[in-house]
Amino acid sequence: STKPGPEFQTHPDIQVSETSTVRLELTVGADGRVHEVNVLQGIPGQTPKIISTVQTWRFRPATENGNPVSAPFTVDLSFRGQ
């Protein structure tokens, strides 16, 4: 079995006053799309923009016995303070 592999990821375009890290737990479907976004650590006021950007991401889906399956994927995004 394999884990999901990122294929297309744009970084959310948000401004922060100090360097911040966002931690997200995604559910990547068998179709390689993001089906669920669970924000483990966010930036106040920026969560909707982060989620909408992450929902455009595409993955090579995880596999089990050669078949694509839904799987979790945790990602940290860092934003540099302005």
Side-chain angles (χ1 to χ4, degrees):
S1 63
T2 65
K3 292 184 163 138
E7 288 192 330
F8 170 80
Q9 294 185 322
T10 52
H11 205 273
D13 180 24
I14 63 174
Q15 308 295 315
V16 290
S17 54
E18 56 193 37
T19 299
S20 311
T21 300
V22 171
R23 173 165 284 182
L24 305 171
E25 187 179 59
L26 313 178
T27 300
V28 176
D31 57 2
R33 291 172 179 259
V34 176
H35 287 247
E36 237 173 90
V37 181
N38 183 13
V39 180
L40 303 179
Q41 182 182 328
I43 297 171
Q46 300 294 348
T47 303
K49 190 165 191 182
I50 292 168
I51 289 175
S52 66
T53 301
V54 168
Q55 284 172 331
T56 68
W57 290 3
R58 295 294 175 265
F59 289 83
R60 194 173 55 256
T63 60
E64 211 166 276
N65 302 323
N67 298 312
V69 293
S70 185
F73 184 85
T74 304
V75 62
D76 288 345
L77 297 175
S78 293
F79 298 92
R80 194 172 289 127
Q82 298 302 312

Coordinates of all heavy atoms in Angstrom, one line a residue:
S1 N 0.8 -1.2 0.0 CA 0.0 0.0 0.0 C 0.9 1.3 0.0 O 2.0 1.2 0.5 CB -0.9 0.0 1.2 OG -0.2 0.0 2.4
T2 N 0.4 2.3 -0.6 CA 1.1 3.6 -0.7 C 0.3 4.7 0.0 O -0.9 4.5 0.3 CB 1.4 4.0 -2.1 OG1 0.1 4.2 -2.7 CG2 2.1 2.9 -2.9
K3 N 1.0 5.8 0.3 CA 0.4 7.0 0.8 C 0.0 8.0 -0.3 O 0.6 7.9 -1.4 CB 1.3 7.6 1.8 CG 1.6 6.8 3.0 CD 2.4 7.6 4.0 CE 2.3 6.9 5.4 NZ 3.5 6.8 6.1
P4 N -0.9 8.9 0.0 CA -1.1 10.0 -1.0 C 0.1 10.7 -1.4 O 1.0 11.0 -0.5 CB -2.1 10.9 -0.4 CG -2.7 10.1 0.7 CD -1.7 9.2 1.2
G5 N 0.3 11.1 -2.6 CA 1.5 11.9 -3.1 C 1.0 13.2 -3.7 O 0.2 13.2 -4.6
P6 N 1.5 14.3 -3.2 CA 1.1 15.6 -3.8 C 1.5 15.7 -5.2 O 2.6 15.4 -5.6 CB 1.9 16.6 -2.9 CG 2.4 15.9 -1.7 CD 2.5 14.4 -2.1
E7 N 0.6 16.2 -6.0 CA 0.8 16.5 -7.5 C 0.7 17.9 -7.8 O 1.4 18.5 -8.6 CB -0.2 15.6 -8.3 CG 0.2 14.2 -8.3 CD -0.6 13.4 -9.4 OE1 -1.7 13.8 -9.7 OE2 0.0 12.3 -9.8
F8 N -0.3 18.6 -7.2 CA -0.5 20.0 -7.4 C -0.9 20.7 -6.1 O -1.9 20.3 -5.5 CB -1.6 20.2 -8.5 CG -2.1 21.6 -8.6 CD1 -1.3 22.5 -9.4 CD2 -3.2 22.1 -8.0 CE1 -1.8 23.9 -9.5 CE2 -3.7 23.4 -8.1 CZ -2.9 24.3 -8.8
Q9 N -0.1 21.7 -5.7 CA -0.4 22.4 -4.4 C 0.0 23.8 -4.6 O 1.2 24.2 -4.8 CB 0.5 21.8 -3.3 CG 0.1 20.4 -2.9 CD 0.8 19.9 -1.7 OE1 2.0 20.2 -1.5 NE2 0.2 19.1 -0.8
T10 N -1.0 24.7 -4.6 CA -0.7 26.1 -4.6 C -0.7 26.6 -3.1 O -1.5 26.1 -2.3 CB -1.7 27.0 -5.4 OG1 -3.0 26.6 -4.9 CG2 -1.7 26.7 -6.8
H11 N 0.2 27.5 -2.8 CA 0.3 28.0 -1.4 C -0.8 29.1 -1.2 O -0.9 30.0 -2.1 CB 1.7 28.6 -1.2 CG 2.1 28.6 0.2 ND1 1.8 29.6 1.1 CD2 2.8 27.6 0.9 CE1 2.3 29.3 2.3 NE2 2.9 28.1 2.2
P12 N -1.6 29.0 -0.2 CA -2.6 30.1 0.0 C -1.9 31.5 0.1 O -0.8 31.6 0.7 CB -3.2 29.7 1.4 CG -2.9 28.3 1.6 CD -1.6 28.0 0.9
D13 N -2.5 32.5 -0.5 CA -1.9 33.8 -0.6 C -2.5 34.6 0.5 O -3.5 35.3 0.4 CB -2.3 34.4 -2.0 CG -1.7 35.8 -2.1 OD1 -0.7 36.1 -1.4 OD2 -2.3 36.6 -2.9
I14 N -1.9 34.6 1.7 CA -2.4 35.3 2.8 C -1.2 36.1 3.5 O -0.1 35.7 3.4 CB -3.1 34.5 3.9 CG1 -2.2 33.5 4.5 CG2 -4.4 33.8 3.3 CD1 -2.8 32.7 5.7
Q15 N -1.6 37.2 4.1 CA -0.6 38.1 4.7 C -0.6 37.8 6.2 O -1.7 37.8 6.8 CB -0.9 39.6 4.4 CG -1.1 39.9 3.0 CD 0.2 39.7 2.2 OE1 1.3 40.1 2.6 NE2 0.1 39.1 1.0
V16 N 0.5 37.7 6.8 CA 0.6 37.5 8.3 C 1.6 38.5 8.9 O 2.6 38.8 8.2 CB 0.9 36.1 8.7 CG1 -0.2 35.1 8.4 CG2 2.2 35.6 8.1
S17 N 1.4 39.0 10.1 CA 2.3 39.9 10.6 C 3.5 39.2 11.2 O 4.6 39.8 11.2 CB 1.6 40.7 11.7 OG 1.0 39.9 12.7
E18 N 3.3 38.0 11.7 CA 4.5 37.3 12.2 C 4.5 35.9 11.6 O 3.4 35.4 11.2 CB 4.5 37.2 13.7 CG 3.3 36.7 14.3 CD 3.2 36.9 15.8 OE1 3.7 38.0 16.2 OE2 2.8 36.0 16.5
T19 N 5.7 35.3 11.5 CA 5.8 34.0 10.9 C 4.9 33.0 11.6 O 4.9 32.9 12.8 CB 7.2 33.5 10.9 OG1 8.0 34.4 10.1 CG2 7.4 32.1 10.3
S20 N 4.1 32.3 10.8 CA 3.0 31.4 11.4 C 3.0 30.1 10.6 O 3.4 30.0 9.5 CB 1.7 32.0 11.2 OG 1.6 33.4 11.7
T21 N 2.6 29.0 11.3 CA 2.5 27.7 10.7 C 1.1 27.2 10.9 O 0.5 27.4 12.0 CB 3.5 26.7 11.4 OG1 4.8 27.2 11.2 CG2 3.4 25.3 10.7
V22 N 0.6 26.7 9.8 CA -0.8 26.1 9.8 C -0.6 24.6 9.7 O 0.2 24.1 8.8 CB -1.6 26.6 8.6 CG1 -2.9 25.9 8.5 CG2 -1.8 28.1 8.8
R23 N -1.3 23.8 10.5 CA -1.2 22.3 10.3 C -2.6 21.8 9.9 O -3.6 22.2 10.6 CB -0.8 21.7 11.6 CG -0.9 20.1 11.6 CD -0.1 19.5 12.7 NE 1.3 19.6 12.3 CZ 2.3 19.1 13.1 NH1 2.0 18.5 14.2 NH2 3.5 19.2 12.7
L24 N -2.7 21.1 8.9 CA -3.9 20.6 8.3 C -3.9 19.1 8.2 O -2.9 18.5 7.9 CB -4.2 21.2 6.9 CG -4.2 22.7 6.8 CD1 -4.2 23.0 5.3 CD2 -5.3 23.3 7.5
E25 N -5.0 18.5 8.5 CA -5.2 17.0 8.3 C -6.2 16.9 7.2 O -7.4 17.3 7.3 CB -5.7 16.3 9.6 CG -5.7 14.8 9.4 CD -6.1 14.2 10.7 OE1 -7.2 14.5 11.2 OE2 -5.3 13.4 11.3
L26 N -5.8 16.4 6.1 CA -6.7 16.2 4.9 C -7.1 14.8 4.7 O -6.4 13.9 5.1 CB -5.9 16.6 3.6 CG -5.1 17.9 3.7 CD1 -4.4 18.1 2.4 CD2 -6.0 19.1 4.0
T27 N -8.3 14.6 4.1 CA -8.7 13.3 3.7 C -8.6 13.4 2.2 O -9.3 14.2 1.5 CB -10.1 13.0 4.1 OG1 -10.2 13.0 5.6 CG2 -10.5 11.6 3.6
V28 N -7.7 12.6 1.6 CA -7.5 12.5 0.2 C -8.3 11.3 -0.4 O -8.1 10.2 0.0 CB -6.0 12.4 -0.2 CG1 -5.9 12.3 -1.7 CG2 -5.3 13.6 0.3
G29 N -9.3 11.6 -1.2 CA -10.1 10.5 -1.8 C -9.4 9.7 -2.8 O -8.3 10.0 -3.3
A30 N -10.1 8.6 -3.2 CA -9.5 7.7 -4.2 C -9.4 8.4 -5.5 O -8.7 7.9 -6.4 CB -10.4 6.5 -4.3
D31 N -10.1 9.5 -5.7 CA -10.0 10.3 -6.9 C -8.9 11.3 -6.9 O -8.7 12.1 -7.8 CB -11.3 11.0 -7.2 CG -11.8 12.0 -6.0 OD1 -11.0 12.1 -5.0 OD2 -12.8 12.6 -6.1
G32 N -8.1 11.4 -5.8 CA -7.0 12.3 -5.7 C -7.3 13.7 -5.3 O -6.5 14.6 -5.2
R33 N -8.6 13.9 -5.0 CA -9.1 15.2 -4.6 C -9.2 15.3 -3.0 O -9.3 14.3 -2.4 CB -10.5 15.5 -5.2 CG -10.4 15.7 -6.7 CD -11.8 15.8 -7.2 NE -11.8 16.1 -8.7 CZ -11.9 17.2 -9.3 NH1 -12.1 18.3 -8.5 NH2 -11.8 17.4 -10.6
V34 N -9.1 16.5 -2.5 CA -9.3 16.7 -1.1 C -10.8 16.7 -0.7 O -11.5 17.5 -1.2 CB -8.6 18.0 -0.7 CG1 -8.8 18.3 0.8 CG2 -7.1 18.0 -1.0
H35 N -11.2 15.7 0.1 CA -12.6 15.6 0.5 C -12.9 16.3 1.8 O -14.0 16.7 2.1 CB -13.0 14.1 0.5 CG -13.1 13.5 -0.8 ND1 -14.3 13.1 -1.3 CD2 -12.2 13.3 -1.8 CE1 -14.1 12.6 -2.6 NE2 -12.8 12.7 -2.8
E36 N -11.9 16.3 2.7 CA -12.1 16.9 4.0 C -10.9 17.6 4.5 O -9.8 17.2 4.2 CB -12.4 15.8 5.0 CG -13.7 15.9 5.8 CD -14.0 14.6 6.6 OE1 -13.5 14.6 7.7 OE2 -14.6 13.7 6.0
V37 N -11.1 18.8 5.1 CA -9.9 19.5 5.7 C -10.2 19.7 7.2 O -11.2 20.4 7.5 CB -9.8 20.9 5.0 CG1 -8.6 21.6 5.6 CG2 -9.6 20.7 3.5
N38 N -9.3 19.2 8.0 CA -9.5 19.4 9.4 C -8.3 20.3 9.9 O -7.1 20.0 9.7 CB -9.4 18.1 10.1 CG -9.6 18.2 11.6 OD1 -10.0 19.2 12.2 ND2 -9.2 17.1 12.3
V39 N -8.6 21.5 10.4 CA -7.6 22.5 10.7 C -7.1 22.2 12.2 O -7.9 22.4 13.1 CB -8.1 23.9 10.6 CG1 -7.0 24.9 11.0 CG2 -8.6 24.2 9.2
L40 N -5.9 21.7 12.3 CA -5.4 21.3 13.6 C -4.8 22.6 14.3 O -4.8 22.7 15.5 CB -4.3 20.2 13.5 CG -4.8 18.9 12.8 CD1 -3.7 17.9 12.8 CD2 -6.0 18.3 13.6
Q41 N -4.2 23.4 13.4 CA -3.6 24.7 13.9 C -3.8 25.7 12.8 O -3.3 25.5 11.7 CB -2.1 24.4 14.2 CG -1.4 25.6 14.7 CD 0.1 25.3 15.0 OE1 0.5 24.2 15.3 NE2 1.0 26.3 14.8
G42 N -4.5 26.8 13.1 CA -4.8 27.7 12.0 C -4.3 29.1 12.3 O -3.5 29.3 13.3
I43 N -4.7 30.1 11.5 CA -4.4 31.5 11.7 C -5.7 32.2 11.7 O -6.5 32.1 10.8 CB -3.5 32.0 10.5 CG1 -2.2 31.3 10.4 CG2 -3.4 33.5 10.6 CD1 -1.4 31.7 9.1
P44 N -6.0 32.8 12.9 CA -7.3 33.5 13.0 C -7.7 34.3 11.9 O -6.9 35.1 11.4 CB -7.2 34.3 14.3 CG -6.1 33.6 15.1 CD -5.1 33.1 14.0
G45 N -8.9 34.2 11.4 CA -9.4 35.0 10.3 C -9.1 34.5 8.9 O -9.6 35.0 7.9
Q46 N -8.1 33.6 8.8 CA -7.6 33.1 7.5 C -8.0 31.7 7.1 O -7.8 31.3 6.0 CB -6.0 33.2 7.5 CG -5.5 34.6 7.7 CD -5.8 35.6 6.6 OE1 -6.2 35.2 5.5 NE2 -5.5 36.8 6.9
T47 N -8.7 31.1 8.0 CA -9.1 29.7 7.8 C -9.9 29.4 6.5 O -9.5 28.5 5.8 CB -9.8 29.1 9.1 OG1 -8.9 29.3 10.2 CG2 -10.1 27.6 8.9
P48 N -10.9 30.2 6.3 CA -11.7 30.0 5.0 C -10.8 30.1 3.8 O -11.0 29.2 2.9 CB -12.8 31.1 5.0 CG -12.9 31.5 6.5 CD -11.5 31.3 7.1
K49 N -9.9 31.0 3.7 CA -9.1 31.2 2.5 C -8.1 30.0 2.4 O -7.9 29.5 1.3 CB -8.3 32.5 2.6 CG -7.6 32.8 1.3 CD -7.2 34.3 1.2 CE -6.7 34.7 -0.2 NZ -6.3 36.0 -0.2
I50 N -7.6 29.6 3.5 CA -6.7 28.4 3.5 C -7.4 27.2 3.0 O -6.9 26.4 2.1 CB -6.0 28.2 4.9 CG1 -5.1 29.4 5.2 CG2 -5.3 26.9 4.9 CD1 -4.6 29.4 6.6
I51 N -8.6 26.9 3.6 CA -9.4 25.7 3.2 C -9.7 25.8 1.7 O -9.6 24.8 1.0 CB -10.6 25.6 4.1 CG1 -10.2 25.2 5.5 CG2 -11.6 24.6 3.5 CD1 -11.3 25.1 6.5
S52 N -10.2 26.9 1.2 CA -10.6 27.0 -0.2 C -9.4 26.7 -1.1 O -9.6 26.1 -2.2 CB -11.3 28.3 -0.5 OG -10.4 29.4 -0.4
T53 N -8.2 27.2 -0.8 CA -7.0 26.9 -1.6 C -6.7 25.4 -1.5 O -6.4 24.8 -2.6 CB -5.8 27.8 -1.1 OG1 -6.2 29.2 -1.2 CG2 -4.6 27.5 -1.9
V54 N -6.7 24.9 -0.3 CA -6.3 23.5 -0.2 C -7.3 22.5 -0.9 O -6.9 21.5 -1.4 CB -6.2 23.1 1.3 CG1 -6.1 21.6 1.6 CG2 -5.0 23.8 2.0
Q55 N -8.5 23.0 -1.1 CA -9.5 22.1 -1.8 C -9.2 22.1 -3.3 O -9.8 21.2 -4.0 CB -10.9 22.6 -1.5 CG -11.4 22.2 -0.1 CD -12.7 22.9 0.3 OE1 -13.1 23.9 -0.1 NE2 -13.4 22.2 1.2
T56 N -8.3 22.9 -3.8 CA -7.9 22.8 -5.2 C -6.8 21.9 -5.4 O -6.4 21.6 -6.6 CB -7.5 24.2 -5.8 OG1 -6.3 24.6 -5.2 CG2 -8.6 25.2 -5.5
W57 N -6.2 21.4 -4.3 CA -5.0 20.5 -4.4 C -5.4 19.2 -5.1 O -6.5 18.7 -4.9 CB -4.3 20.3 -3.1 CG -3.7 21.5 -2.5 CD1 -3.6 22.8 -3.0 CD2 -2.9 21.6 -1.3 NE1 -2.9 23.6 -2.2 CE2 -2.5 22.9 -1.1 CE3 -2.6 20.6 -0.3 CZ2 -1.7 23.3 0.0 CZ3 -1.9 21.0 0.8 CH2 -1.4 22.3 0.9
R58 N -4.4 18.6 -5.7 CA -4.6 17.3 -6.3 C -3.5 16.4 -5.8 O -2.3 16.8 -5.7 CB -4.6 17.3 -7.9 CG -5.7 18.1 -8.4 CD -7.1 17.5 -8.2 NE -8.2 18.3 -8.6 CZ -8.9 19.1 -7.8 NH1 -8.6 19.2 -6.6 NH2 -9.9 19.8 -8.3
F59 N -3.8 15.1 -5.7 CA -2.9 14.1 -5.2 C -2.9 12.9 -6.0 O -3.9 12.6 -6.7 CB -3.3 13.7 -3.7 CG -3.0 14.7 -2.7 CD1 -3.9 15.7 -2.5 CD2 -1.9 14.7 -1.9 CE1 -3.7 16.7 -1.5 CE2 -1.6 15.6 -0.9 CZ -2.6 16.6 -0.7
R60 N -1.8 12.1 -6.0 CA -1.8 10.8 -6.5 C -2.4 10.0 -5.3 O -1.9 10.0 -4.2 CB -0.4 10.4 -6.7 CG -0.2 9.1 -7.5 CD 1.3 8.9 -7.9 NE 2.2 8.9 -6.7 CZ 2.9 10.0 -6.3 NH1 3.0 11.1 -7.0 NH2 3.7 9.9 -5.2
P61 N -3.6 9.3 -5.5 CA -4.2 8.7 -4.3 C -3.4 7.6 -3.7 O -2.6 7.0 -4.4 CB -5.5 8.2 -4.9 CG -5.4 8.2 -6.4 CD -4.3 9.1 -6.7
A62 N -3.7 7.4 -2.4 CA -3.1 6.2 -1.7 C -3.6 4.9 -2.4 O -4.7 5.0 -3.0 CB -3.5 6.2 -0.3
T63 N -2.9 3.8 -2.3 CA -3.4 2.6 -2.8 C -3.3 1.5 -1.8 O -2.5 1.5 -0.9 CB -2.6 2.2 -4.1 OG1 -1.2 2.0 -3.7 CG2 -2.7 3.2 -5.2
E64 N -4.2 0.5 -2.0 CA -4.2 -0.7 -1.2 C -4.4 -1.8 -2.1 O -5.4 -1.8 -2.8 CB -5.3 -0.6 -0.1 CG -4.9 -1.3 1.2 CD -5.9 -0.9 2.3 OE1 -5.6 0.1 3.0 OE2 -6.8 -1.7 2.5
N65 N -3.5 -2.8 -2.2 CA -3.6 -3.9 -3.1 C -3.8 -3.4 -4.6 O -4.5 -3.9 -5.4 CB -4.8 -4.8 -2.8 CG -4.7 -5.4 -1.4 OD1 -3.6 -5.7 -0.9 ND2 -5.8 -5.5 -0.7
G66 N -3.1 -2.3 -4.8 CA -3.1 -1.7 -6.2 C -4.3 -0.9 -6.5 O -4.4 -0.3 -7.6
N67 N -5.3 -0.8 -5.6 CA -6.5 0.0 -5.9 C -6.4 1.3 -5.1 O -6.0 1.4 -4.0 CB -7.7 -0.8 -5.4 CG -7.9 -2.1 -6.1 OD1 -7.8 -2.1 -7.4 ND2 -8.1 -3.1 -5.4
P68 N -6.9 2.4 -5.8 CA -6.9 3.7 -5.1 C -7.9 3.7 -3.9 O -9.0 3.2 -4.0 CB -7.4 4.7 -6.2 CG -7.3 4.0 -7.5 CD -7.3 2.5 -7.2
V69 N -7.5 4.3 -2.8 CA -8.3 4.4 -1.6 C -8.2 5.7 -1.0 O -7.3 6.5 -1.2 CB -7.9 3.3 -0.5 CG1 -8.2 1.9 -1.0 CG2 -6.5 3.5 -0.1
S70 N -9.2 6.1 -0.2 CA -9.2 7.3 0.6 C -8.2 7.2 1.7 O -8.1 6.1 2.3 CB -10.6 7.5 1.1 OG -10.7 8.7 1.8
A71 N -7.5 8.2 2.0 CA -6.5 8.2 3.1 C -6.2 9.5 3.7 O -6.4 10.6 3.0 CB -5.1 7.6 2.6
P72 N -5.7 9.6 5.0 CA -5.4 10.9 5.6 C -4.0 11.4 5.1 O -3.2 10.6 4.7 CB -5.4 10.5 7.1 CG -5.0 9.1 7.1 CD -5.6 8.5 5.9
F73 N -3.9 12.7 5.2 CA -2.6 13.3 4.8 C -2.4 14.6 5.6 O -3.3 15.4 5.6 CB -2.6 13.7 3.3 CG -1.3 14.2 2.8 CD1 -0.3 13.4 2.3 CD2 -1.1 15.6 2.7 CE1 0.9 13.9 1.8 CE2 0.1 16.1 2.2 CZ 1.1 15.3 1.7
T74 N -1.4 14.6 6.4 CA -1.2 15.8 7.3 C -0.1 16.7 6.6 O 0.9 16.2 6.1 CB -0.7 15.4 8.7 OG1 -1.7 14.5 9.2 CG2 -0.6 16.6 9.6
V75 N -0.4 18.0 6.6 CA 0.6 18.9 6.0 C 0.7 20.2 6.9 O -0.2 20.6 7.5 CB 0.1 19.3 4.6 CG1 -1.3 20.0 4.6 CG2 1.1 20.2 3.8
D76 N 2.0 20.7 6.9 CA 2.3 22.0 7.6 C 2.6 23.0 6.6 O 3.4 22.8 5.7 CB 3.5 21.8 8.5 CG 3.2 21.0 9.8 OD1 2.0 20.7 10.1 OD2 4.2 20.6 10.4
L77 N 1.9 24.2 6.7 CA 2.2 25.3 5.8 C 2.8 26.4 6.6 O 2.3 26.8 7.7 CB 0.9 25.8 5.1 CG 0.2 24.9 4.2 CD1 -1.1 25.5 3.8 CD2 1.0 24.5 3.0
S78 N 3.9 27.0 6.1 CA 4.5 28.1 6.9 C 4.3 29.4 6.1 O 4.4 29.4 4.9 CB 6.0 27.9 7.0 OG 6.2 26.8 7.9
F79 N 4.0 30.4 6.8 CA 3.8 31.8 6.2 C 4.8 32.7 6.9 O 4.9 32.8 8.1 CB 2.4 32.2 6.5 CG 1.4 31.4 5.8 CD1 0.8 30.3 6.5 CD2 1.0 31.6 4.5 CE1 -0.1 29.5 5.9 CE2 0.0 30.7 3.9 CZ -0.5 29.7 4.6
R80 N 5.6 33.4 6.1 CA 6.6 34.3 6.6 C 5.9 35.7 6.9 O 5.2 36.2 6.1 CB 7.7 34.5 5.6 CG 8.9 35.2 6.2 CD 10.1 35.1 5.2 NE 10.6 33.8 5.0 CZ 10.8 33.2 3.8 NH1 10.5 33.8 2.7 NH2 11.3 32.0 3.7
G81 N 6.2 36.2 8.1 CA 5.7 37.5 8.5 C 6.1 38.6 7.5 O 7.2 38.6 7.0
Q82 N 5.2 39.6 7.4 CA 5.5 40.8 6.5 C 6.4 41.8 7.2 O 6.0 42.2 8.3 CB 4.2 41.4 6.0 CG 3.4 40.5 5.2 CD 4.1 39.9 4.0 OE1 4.7 40.7 3.2 NE2 4.0 38.6 3.8

